[in-house]
Amino acid sequence: PHFTAGLPFWIAGAGNLFCSAVAWRVHCTDKYQSRQLRISLRMNLVIVIIAVQCVQIAASYLEWLRGSIDFSQFWHYTLISLLGQVVPEVCVFFAEIFTSVDYPLVRSLAQNSGLGVVQVVLQGLGQGFASTLFPAVTMVGVVMITYEL
């Protein structure tokens, strides 16, 4: 089989392995607030992304040394893999701005609840539509960039 057929299995296998390895570090007890849990989960995810990217780079580098891919393919695979791992997490972070009580948009929605149901529904719909703008534009841009590679 060709290297490109096996690369997704390298990435998925490394992701499963490293997710299992860092899962012990998540503290889900009553003494931690939701913000601390999110930070802990996010840091675990950063560790997994770095580890998986190292595995992907090592596998691609070995294939480049063997001559089955050229250097252009090597860095294309590296960039595509990096974008595929980082961009969804960036989108999740920006979506959290519209859904977490730690940010002013959700707090203002709660404060306006005294103005009536219509106000809350309209403001919630508006924020919901606005929350999809950044992830949608980001994903379209990444697909366009990676398609050209």
Side-chain angles (χ1 to χ4, degrees):
H2 195 266
F3 170 67
T4 55
L7 186 59
F9 295 106
W10 277 100
I11 293 170
N16 287 335
L17 176 71
F18 293 119
C19 280
S20 299
V22 300
W24 62 270
R25 191 178 176 285
V26 179
H27 8 248
C28 292
T29 61
D30 292 335
K31 65 181 181 177
Y32 294 105
Q33 297 176 349
S34 63
R35 184 172 179 82
Q36 292 169 315
L37 289 174
R38 282 196 308 273
I39 290 170
S40 174
L41 290 170
R42 197 170 286 139
M43 289 303 107
N44 284 347
L45 190 59
V46 166
I47 292 168
V48 170
I49 288 172
I50 291 169
V52 169
Q53 195 62 29
C54 288
V55 167
Q56 186 276 323
I57 290 171
S60 297
Y61 181 73
L62 290 174
E63 289 298 319
W64 175 66
L65 285 179
R66 287 187 199 151
S68 64
I69 62 172
D70 59 12
F71 187 75
S72 175
Q73 287 176 308
F74 168 73
W75 81 265
H76 287 173
Y77 291 145
T78 302
L79 181 62
I80 290 169
S81 174
L82 181 66
L83 289 173
Q85 293 176 58
V86 171
V87 169
E89 300 312 317
V90 170
C91 291
V92 165
F93 176 75
F94 279 98
E96 187 179 334
I97 292 172
F98 291 92
T99 58
S100 175
V101 294
D102 295 335
Y103 294 97
L105 289 172
V106 177
R107 279 194 234 131
S108 74
L109 185 62
Q111 288 171 347
N112 290 338
S113 65
L115 299 176
V117 175
V118 175
Q119 172 68 29
V120 173
V121 169
L122 290 177
Q123 186 177 354
L125 282 172
Q127 287 180 0
F129 287 133
S131 72
T132 62
L133 178 66
F134 178 79
V137 170
T138 302
M139 294 309 266
V140 167
V142 167
V143 168
M144 290 171 60
I145 289 169
T146 57
Y147 181 75
E148 293 299 319
L149 297 178

